[in-house]
Amino acid sequence: MRRPVPEVTVRRAREEDLDPLVELLVAVAAEGRWIATEPPVDRERRRRGMAAALDQERALLLAAEAGGQLVGQLWIEVAVYGVADLGMLVAEGWRGRSVGSALLAAALDWARQAGAHKVALQVWPHNPAAIALYQKFGFQREGLLRGHYRRRNGELWDAVVMGLLL
Ligand SMILES: CC(C)(COP(=O)(O)OP(=O)(O)OC[C@H]1O[C@@H](n2cnc3c(N)ncnc32)[C@H](O)[C@@H]1OP(=O)(O)O)[C@@H](O)C(=O)NCCC(=O)NCCS
């Protein structure tokens, strides 16, 4: 018998979410393949950065909650020239269950209300799930940064630049 899937709620992160959100970041960083952050993660520095986003007008930290736990997060910030940059992640066991779509939809609503004219992001070329999610929301590939990011093991990784004009 299939277990019922708990409903996912996307909301603005709160002070009490910060520790679990940092742990979620640490867990995805430990996978070593999807996000720019690599272990060891400086938890205190990350927590301070997230805390700063809680009461900013031009930045938003979203939390996705399901079954009483935090299963995803998205950070977005609008620059003075009107472009919003975003980064996001979903807990490994929760991927492919529309959490990312719910986070991204909420972030795009917020970006429009915040007066952004464009949302931009970077993604590794070897991340088909993320690229598919962004394309589903209308993001287009704008370019490739070659050998742009040096990983801790010395590898130089390309990054795909994607953008969505609102
Ligand atoms: C990328 C990520 C945020 C997507 O979130 P998600 O909750 O898995 O995405 P969703 O379930 O909402 O899927 C969105 C769309 O992406 C596509 N997709 C999802 N998983 C996929 C996969 N493994 N391969 C190819 N396409 C995939 C589907 O088209 C899906 O749309 P549909 O279900 O309406 O057909 C999530 O996989 C993740 O956190 N990965 C690790 C961290 C990361 O890569 N962050 C982004 C860095 S740029």
Side-chain angles (χ1 to χ4, degrees), residues 55-145:
D55 51 12
Q56 272 185 44
E57 220 171 90
R58 300 193 70 81
L60 175 71
L61 180 62
L62 288 173
E65 191 177 345
Q69 53 170 329
L70 295 187
V71 298
Q73 61 185 273
L74 183 151
W75 169 89
I76 183 167
E77 180 166 9
V78 191
V80 285
Y81 48 87
V83 177
D85 279 298
L86 79 79
M88 64 187 294
L89 54 88
V90 172
E92 193 174 11
W94 280 88
R95 293 178 195 153
R97 297 161 78 175
S98 301
V99 177
S101 297
L103 281 165
L104 191 51
L108 296 180
D109 284 348
W110 176 86
R112 286 192 183 90
Q113 280 166 22
H117 68 273
K118 181 175 179 178
V119 180
L121 57 85
Q122 293 181 23
V123 55
W124 306 129
H126 59 254
N127 192 346
I131 291 171
L133 167 65
Y134 302 139
Q135 283 175 337
K136 177 177 141 184
F137 280 83
F139 282 80
Q140 294 191 348
R141 184 184 162 122
E142 296 186 341
L144 183 72
L145 302 171

